[in-house]
Amino acid sequence: MKLSLNMKVKCGYESLRRKLKIRLVGWLIIPVCAVNLFAQQPAAPSTARPTGRSYSEGDERAKPIVKAARGVSPVQFTDITARSGINFRHHASPTSQKYLLETMGGGVALFDYDNDGRLDMYFTNGAQLQEQMSANARPDKTDARFWNRLYHQKPDGTFEDVTERAGVRGSGYAMGAAAGDYDNDGLTDLYVTAYGGNALYRNRGDGTFEDVTRRTNTAGGGWSTSAGWLDYDRDGRLDLFVARYMDWDFQNGSLYCGLMKPGFRAFCHPDNFKGAGNLLFHQKPDGTFEDVSLKAGVADAEGKGLGLAFADFNDDGWTDIIVANDSVRQSLYMNRGDGTFDDVALPAGVGFDENGKTFAGMGVDAADYDADGRADIIITALSNETYPLFRNNGDDSFSYTTNTTGVGQITLLLTGWGVRFADFDLDGMRDIFVAQGHVLDTIEKSSSYLLYKQPPLLMRNVGKTFLDVSASAGFTVPLAARGCAFGDIDNDGDTDIVIGTTNDAPVMFRNMFSNDAGKNHWIGFNLVGTKSNRAGIGTRVTITDSNGRRQTADANTAGSYLASNDGRIVFGLGATAKVASVEVRWSTGKTQKVMNPIIDQYQIVKEE
């Protein structure tokens, strides 16, 4: 049956009222199930109509009042950017043309490139854009302001810029980064995505990198966004998955969107462009790669990929892939184990929200938030959409738990990018962190209640629900955040955060929990594969503490948005001071036990 607009608006209002218990001021209804019809594009006056659809949403007539559950954070974060020695600034090169590239960037990677036991940082950067660009123009990165930057962590915890010596300043309008030891030599290599050509840098082990993109056939093409390393066929060699956004160039990207009045031109909505297929590069024994995207079944031409994450969702020993797509159906690629994947997003219940509507999927992560041994999914989205949270039911299906867990009430007015399930207070339950900021730098002109810059969001896991503890945790300063990487920068057992911003400086937050008196215990693992890939990516680790509580994690560096994370696995233990057993299932399928594990420190586990 074909619904009228009024019926769809009513549907959205009833859904919103029942599930989120919102009091709506005035006459305007902000519909959930009709968001793509109404909320994202304010009506233009009859004398000034836009030529393309923009990301705009809402207007000045009403603001939904949402009563979200808030709490006090047991952990505080300190902004240590100023004393870190990092002086990087992302340059988006904004123009009056509002090229969509200008608002999407700001990637970051955390990895130890020189094996000194300390995490280093890599930031991606924009490139010089002109007011008028030809369709196939290559963004200029010659000026040092636009170089990507690599920072080496020194023993005192500060960082030094080693970009020029390392040879990783990049090319094109850079987006994301993925760190992984693709050649199994014990040195972490780096893949960088961009509009204008991707790059694979091989770590030479002397502080420098070699650009092996052409030799390895990994350049890709089009507008690449997030990327990640995985061993999808369990042959012991890392393969590479690259999400691509849209069939976009500077000619079709110069479409005018938004109101035709000074200062109101807006970035265009992805509905104005065709999708672009993902890329899957399979590594051959000689260290080169072949594009198997079509053969493997992951080249969805309708997808508009921004974020990706890996996990073994059905516990069959094979790594699966979740891709966050912007305003089209999401993708969940289940690994058949024969070199191919099935996109089961629709039957699994993760393709759309609970109303069967698309949403602006941007960042994504996969981990077990409810401690049942199964990997769940969180995806970030636009304001008025809420952030979809999908609970793994264990029968190849997922339940939409956004509203029952409180996440919907917390995130209704927010726009999220980088995201992570992590146990920030080490109590044994994974919390959710989101780097935030609206797509539109003009949103405050078209809406009285949506903000361009937004503070980071920390949702504490308190069992069956989440509480917003952002302010009490120290996240009060609004940012135009995009990429976000997570890892233990100071090696004290808790998770620190580095946020990339668009056209601004990054922000580094140190988790202070391990310094507090009466801290919770933890245990960490650094995996070394011998028959599996050297970094242990795709390995599943399961611990059981002395109280019988089990926790599970899959090792990888992917997840979030345009980011690469610390590959070590950390479990919070709460007050429990002993781990009874540790089971390690390597990506090759072999299982081994870790005897007498020591808590409150990292231990190396080598594949037997």
Side-chain angles (χ1 to χ4, degrees), residues 3-295:
L3 297 179
S4 69
L5 178 60
N6 288 337
M7 291 175 69
K8 290 183 180 181
V9 169
K10 182 178 180 181
C11 168
Y13 165 69
E14 291 299 328
S15 173
L16 197 61
R17 182 182 61 78
R18 289 196 309 269
K19 296 182 177 66
L20 302 185
K21 298 180 180 179
I22 294 174
R23 177 169 61 88
L24 296 171
V25 179
W27 64 270
L28 179 66
I29 295 170
I30 305 294
V32 171
C33 73
V35 66
N36 286 329
L37 293 174
F38 178 77
Q40 291 181 335
Q41 176 60 58
S46 59
T47 58
R49 292 188 180 276
T51 60
R53 186 182 178 200
S54 81
Y55 263 110
S56 297
E57 50 186 314
D59 65 18
E60 299 183 20
R61 291 173 290 182
K63 173 183 178 180
I65 306 301
V66 184
K67 187 176 181 180
R70 288 181 170 82
V72 177
S73 176
V75 55
Q76 278 71 49
F77 288 80
T78 299
D79 183 343
I80 60 171
T81 313
R83 65 174 183 258
S84 70
I86 292 176
N87 57 0
F88 172 77
R89 181 183 178 89
H90 179 267
H91 289 275
S93 191
T95 70
S96 65
Q97 298 296 310
K98 292 289 184 180
Y99 294 120
L100 192 51
L101 278 174
E102 299 167 20
T103 193
M104 304 299 290
V108 57
L110 285 173
F111 68 114
D112 180 8
Y113 79 90
D114 59 346
N115 286 342
D116 64 357
R118 296 182 292 271
L119 290 177
D120 309 302
M121 295 185 196
Y122 186 79
F123 296 97
T124 66
N125 205 347
Q128 182 68 60
L129 302 180
Q130 305 298 327
E131 287 293 328
Q132 300 296 327
M133 305 277 289
S134 62
N136 298 315
R138 186 179 179 87
D140 184 7
K141 216 176 183 71
T142 305
D143 192 319
R145 291 179 302 156
F146 298 102
W147 292 356
N148 306 332
R149 293 286 175 174
L150 176 64
Y151 287 89
H152 171 252
Q153 186 177 175
K154 297 186 290 186
D156 64 359
T158 62
F159 293 78
E160 58 182 337
D161 187 339
V162 296
T163 307
E164 289 189 83
R165 179 176 182 271
V168 290
R169 66 189 193 185
S171 61
Y173 200 106
M175 297 297 293
D181 181 7
Y182 85 90
D183 53 359
N184 288 328
D185 65 354
L187 301 166
T188 304
D189 311 298
L190 184 67
Y191 188 77
V192 181
T193 64
Y195 177 85
N198 306 332
L200 175 57
Y201 297 105
R202 179 182 175 272
N203 192 333
R204 291 190 177 112
D206 60 357
T208 68
F209 291 78
E210 174 188 8
D211 187 338
V212 296
T213 312
R214 183 171 297 180
R215 190 174 78 209
T216 56
N217 304 314
T218 52
W223 185 347
S224 299
T225 53
S226 296
W229 297 97
L230 76 164
D231 182 5
Y232 77 92
D233 58 348
R234 305 198 325 187
D235 63 358
R237 295 183 294 271
L238 286 181
D239 311 301
L240 179 64
F241 189 95
V242 182
R244 292 196 298 178
Y245 194 23
M246 297 182 302
D247 182 9
W248 185 96
D249 60 42
F250 288 105
Q251 184 173 355
N252 67 21
S254 63
L255 177 72
Y256 191 101
C257 298
L259 299 181
M260 286 186 174
K261 51 192 289 190
F264 279 77
R265 185 171 184 172
F267 294 109
C268 289
H269 193 280
D271 282 358
N272 295 289
F273 310 99
K274 296 179 180 179
N278 304 307
L279 298 174
L280 178 60
F281 293 106
H282 173 253
Q283 186 177 175
K284 298 188 289 187
D286 64 358
T288 64
F289 291 77
E290 58 180 333
D291 184 346
V292 297
S293 313
L294 287 171
K295 181 170 65 176

Side-chain angles (χ1 to χ4, degrees), residues 231-386:
D231 182 5
Y232 77 92
D233 58 348
R234 305 198 325 187
D235 63 358
R237 295 183 294 271
L238 286 181
D239 311 301
L240 179 64
F241 189 95
V242 182
R244 292 196 298 178
Y245 194 23
M246 297 182 302
D247 182 9
W248 185 96
D249 60 42
F250 288 105
Q251 184 173 355
N252 67 21
S254 63
L255 177 72
Y256 191 101
C257 298
L259 299 181
M260 286 186 174
K261 51 192 289 190
F264 279 77
R265 185 171 184 172
F267 294 109
C268 289
H269 193 280
D271 282 358
N272 295 289
F273 310 99
K274 296 179 180 179
N278 304 307
L279 298 174
L280 178 60
F281 293 106
H282 173 253
Q283 186 177 175
K284 298 188 289 187
D286 64 358
T288 64
F289 291 77
E290 58 180 333
D291 184 346
V292 297
S293 313
L294 287 171
K295 181 170 65 176
V298 299
D300 181 3
E302 296 181 359
K304 297 177 181 179
L306 288 178
L308 65 89
F310 306 135
D312 182 3
F313 291 108
N314 57 358
D315 197 23
D316 65 353
W318 298 87
T319 299
D320 310 305
I321 305 167
I322 176 73
V323 178
N325 288 313
D326 191 355
S327 301
V328 295
R329 179 177 58 81
Q330 309 301 297
S331 297
L332 175 58
Y333 297 109
M334 298 300 287
N335 194 332
R336 287 176 171 171
D338 61 359
T340 65
F341 293 80
D342 281 327
D343 188 349
V344 300
L346 191 58
V350 301
F352 304 94
D353 67 15
E354 68 173 346
N355 294 309
K357 299 297 179 181
T358 60
F359 53 86
M362 294 184 285
V364 61
D365 195 30
D368 179 15
Y369 81 82
D370 57 350
D372 63 0
R374 299 185 290 264
D376 311 298
I377 299 168
I378 178 74
I379 305 177
T380 56
L382 275 176
S383 306
N384 292 335
E385 291 181 338
T386 71

